[in-house]
Amino acid sequence: MTPEEFRRYGRQVVDWIADYQEKIESYPVLSQARPGDVLAALPVHPPEQGEGYENLLADLERVVMPGITHWQHPSFFAYFPANASGPAILGDLLSAGLGVQGMLWATSPACTELETRMADWLAELLGLPAAFRSDGPGGGVIQDSASSSAVVAILAALERANGGRAGREGLTGRHTLYISSQTHSSLEKAAKITGIGAAGVRTVDVDPRTLAMDPARLDAMIAEDAAAGAVPTMVCATVGTTSTTAIDPVAAIGEVCRRHGVWLHVDAAYAGVAAVCPELRWLNEGVADYADSYTTNPHKWLLTNFDCNVLWVADREPLVGALSILPEYLRNQASESGEVIDYRDWQIPLGRRFRALKLWSVIRWYGAEGLREHIRTGVALAQRLAGWIRDEPGFVLFDHHPLSLVCFRPAWDGLPEDEANEATKRLMETLNASGDLFLTHTKVGGRVLLRMAIGAPATREEHVRAAWRRIVEETRKLEKSLQ
Ligand SMILES: *Cc1c(COP(=O)(O)O)cnc(C)c1O
């Protein structure tokens, strides 16, 4: 493709994306494709001869679009949001256009240094501790996901627990990781990957009302394990759990960690970015005093296209110690001078994309004020929705909803629990099949709850109100049919 051809098709692609943004509400939120539909529309064999780009754009409409669930649709309330935004898309395009592979400082100094500055900017915007800044012993790095951050945080914790020899000599002890029943599944996966194993994962009880980890129980379990010869290695505290945005008491957990010399990782994948608003800074309580590592996802609620996760450590030494390797073919003067960061030593793969460009685009376009406004819109809409649910007869509201996720269900008066759960799921399936909105569910104390996560950039009150009206309407229909 010549630069001239690129210019022509590039303009078509940008126009296509802008058109898509304008007409996104005309699509059903949840793809109505059945398994195999997209596959069946694709040729089995690759083309022998190259072809014009117009054909691909036509097939994008014909083959791909029916199989798209519209995450940027203003009536997308499932999982957590995965925000896209104009500046982030353009930043990603610039990254692709430069085609840089930033494994070492030397392979493109700007890729590393812009990332360092962006991690510092974001730490400042979120009010994170000074120890996480690049001018101290710690620092931040952009990873592909909170899951990867969990893996490298565990590797750093293992390195520290083994006196800096785990990376070289392997694990000697029987290591344990502490989570709660509400912790994201990526921690258990990380335990499997890092050799702790599912058997080394301890699940600490939660308060049945708040679903927050019980620090006294954690303390007792760590003491028992240590007495039995295990090496308690990491505790993962979650700020904003995936199921209900429960918030573990980071300071109290941190006290326990400090007493036992255990690494504290704070997973704030969804909620952490909300601390851009001063009135939500309480989310960071305990982080400055106790967290060894902390992670949040601009790719969820902070207007930055997937993938963009940021991990900070208070001390970079165990992380780099666990992950650095230096084969002859990568030796270079800059690395040996010790004056530069080589981010390949902060992550699992060698190669890395220039992700800092999209974060730079987003932060400069919106400014701190714009980012705050986006978060505040999501929180305010969720609080309004919670009020409507509370005021509607025949609905039960889960009363913890400090951010933009609201959990609830119809009361289904008179139905036994298992039938009520079935009815809630049927309601959700009916709503999602309608294409008018998309929401998901969770289970709390044996009860199925609907989860409505607000936060797509285009979501306004009218969308939340329309979704709520649909939910009430379908609930009333189902109630009638169940009588
Ligand atoms: C979404 C989520 C994750 C996983 O995020 P990825 O970036 O997709 O790996 C981890 N922890 C919590 C609390 C989450 O909500």
Side-chain angles (χ1 to χ4, degrees):
M1 195 179 270
T2 63
E4 201 38 58
E5 287 168 322
F6 180 80
R7 203 168 269 128
R8 184 160 82 244
Y9 295 122
R11 284 182 177 137
Q12 282 179 28
V13 167
V14 169
D15 279 340
W16 188 93
I17 296 171
D19 290 346
Y20 172 64
Q21 291 172 340
E22 280 174 349
K23 67 181 180 199
I24 192 164
E25 289 190 57
S26 67
Y27 293 95
V29 188
L30 177 66
S31 167
Q32 311 288 305
R34 286 154 311 175
D37 278 358
V38 177
L39 208 50
L42 290 164
V44 177
H45 302 290
E48 187 61 31
Q49 246 84 55
E51 54 182 321
Y53 210 76
E54 292 85 356
N55 295 353
L56 186 128
L57 289 175
D59 284 352
L60 184 68
E61 291 285 0
R62 187 179 61 84
V63 179
V64 175
M65 291 313 280
I68 292 292
T69 287
H70 301 277
W71 283 69
Q72 307 310 317
H73 195 296
S75 301
F76 182 101
F77 303 112
Y79 312 108
F80 278 133
N83 285 180
S85 71
I89 296 166
L90 295 176
D92 240 356
L93 183 59
L94 289 170
S95 168
L98 290 172
V100 158
Q101 205 275 54
M103 57 188 170
L104 300 169
W105 178 89
T107 62
S108 261
C111 183
T112 293
E113 294 187 12
L114 186 65
E115 181 161 334
T116 303
R117 185 61 83 222
M118 286 312 102
D120 284 349
W121 272 14
L122 195 61
E124 179 178 324
L125 283 168
L126 303 183
L128 292 173
F132 290 177
R133 310 285 168 87
S134 61
D135 57 4
V141 56
I142 302 179
Q143 306 266 348
D144 59 359
S145 64
S147 305
S148 293
S149 282
V151 173
V152 300
I154 292 181
L155 291 171
L158 289 168
E159 187 72 6
R160 196 175 78 178
N162 282 274
R165 290 183 304 276
R168 250 177 310 132
E169 295 166 24
L171 304 183
T172 45
R174 194 159 54 77
H175 293 273
T176 47
L177 164 70
Y178 301 82
I179 62 172
S180 85
S181 58
Q182 305 301 305
T183 303
H184 192 267
S185 56
S186 56
L187 269 291
E188 200 173 330
K189 196 175 192 175
K192 289 186 177 191
I193 295 168
T194 54
I196 288 179
V201 178
R202 301 281 187 271
T203 306
V204 184
D205 291 341
V206 295
D207 178 308
R209 200 181 53 81
T210 63
L211 304 180
M213 186 187 281
D214 176 353
R217 212 32 227 136
L218 172 70
D219 192 19
M221 284 173 92
I222 291 178
E224 277 165 36
D225 286 338
V231 186
T233 300
M234 180 196 270
V235 175
C236 175
T238 308
V239 174
T241 60
T242 315
S243 172
T244 64
T245 60
I247 294 171
D248 290 335
V250 172
I253 291 171
E255 254 322 303
V256 174
C257 289
R258 178 164 298 166
R259 205 155 51 238
H260 295 279
V262 178
W263 184 288
L264 175 61
H265 177 64
V266 176
D267 177 3
Y270 153 75
V273 298
V276 71
C277 300
E279 70 274 22
L280 295 172
R281 284 280 156 82
W282 55 266
L283 287 163
N284 295 342
E285 235 167 69
V287 170
D289 290 330
Y290 300 103
D292 294 295
S293 52
Y294 176 95
T295 194
T296 189
N297 279 344
H299 71 221
K300 274 182 169 154
W301 195 12
L302 205 67
L303 298 162
T304 309
N305 286 54
F306 194 85
D307 52 356
C308 184
N309 160 273
V310 186
L311 170 74
W312 289 273
V313 289
D315 177 9
R316 66 176 90 163
E317 204 177 295
L319 176 65
V320 173
L323 293 169
S324 75
I325 38 125
L326 193 56
E328 187 53 39
Y329 51 81
L330 291 179
R331 284 187 183 275
N332 68 87
Q333 241 178 7
S335 295
E336 267 151 48
S337 74
E339 284 173 59
V340 301
I341 293 176
D342 290 325
Y343 280 123
R344 58 132 199 223
D345 294 337
W346 296 52
Q347 63 170 24
I348 299 162
L350 171 63
R352 55 202 328 272
R353 308 174 50 214
F354 196 168
R355 294 192 191 88
L357 271 174
K358 66 184 161 192
L359 201 50
W360 194 38
S361 289
V362 165
I363 296 174
R364 289 186 63 176
W365 176 263
Y366 290 99
E369 264 314 314
L371 298 176
R372 286 182 201 124
E373 192 184 309
H374 170 61
I375 298 292
R376 282 177 183 142
T377 301
V379 175
L381 291 177
Q383 301 318 308
R384 232 160 284 165
L385 170 68
W388 301 333
I389 298 168
R390 204 180 299 113
D391 293 344
E392 184 73 27
F395 278 84
V396 184
L397 172 68
F398 185 74
D399 65 12
H400 172 87
H401 46 76
L403 301 169
S404 69
L405 174 73
V406 182
C407 300
F408 63 99
R409 64 163 205 160
W412 306 120
D413 279 332
L415 283 193
E417 186 123 305
D418 54 338
E419 285 174 43
N421 284 346
E422 278 314 303
T424 304
K425 280 194 199 155
R426 230 171 90 197
L427 169 66
M428 179 179 77
E429 280 153 20
T430 310
L431 289 164
N432 291 345
S434 76
D436 296 341
L437 69 157
F438 180 27
L439 68 172
T440 48
H441 76 284
T442 188
K443 212 167 190 181
V444 175
R447 281 185 155 187
V448 173
L449 300 179
L450 299 175
R451 284 173 83 263
M452 208 157 138
I454 296 165
T459 303
R460 295 291 168 266
E461 177 161 346
E462 68 203 75
H463 304 104
V464 182
R465 195 178 273 285
W468 173 237
R469 266 202 298 269
R470 287 286 290 118
I471 293 166
V472 175
E473 187 182 290
E474 283 304 326
T475 301
R476 301 303 175 219
K477 273 195 226 163
L478 247 169
E479 279 171 345
K480 277 220 185 79
S481 76
L482 289 167
Q483 273 164 9

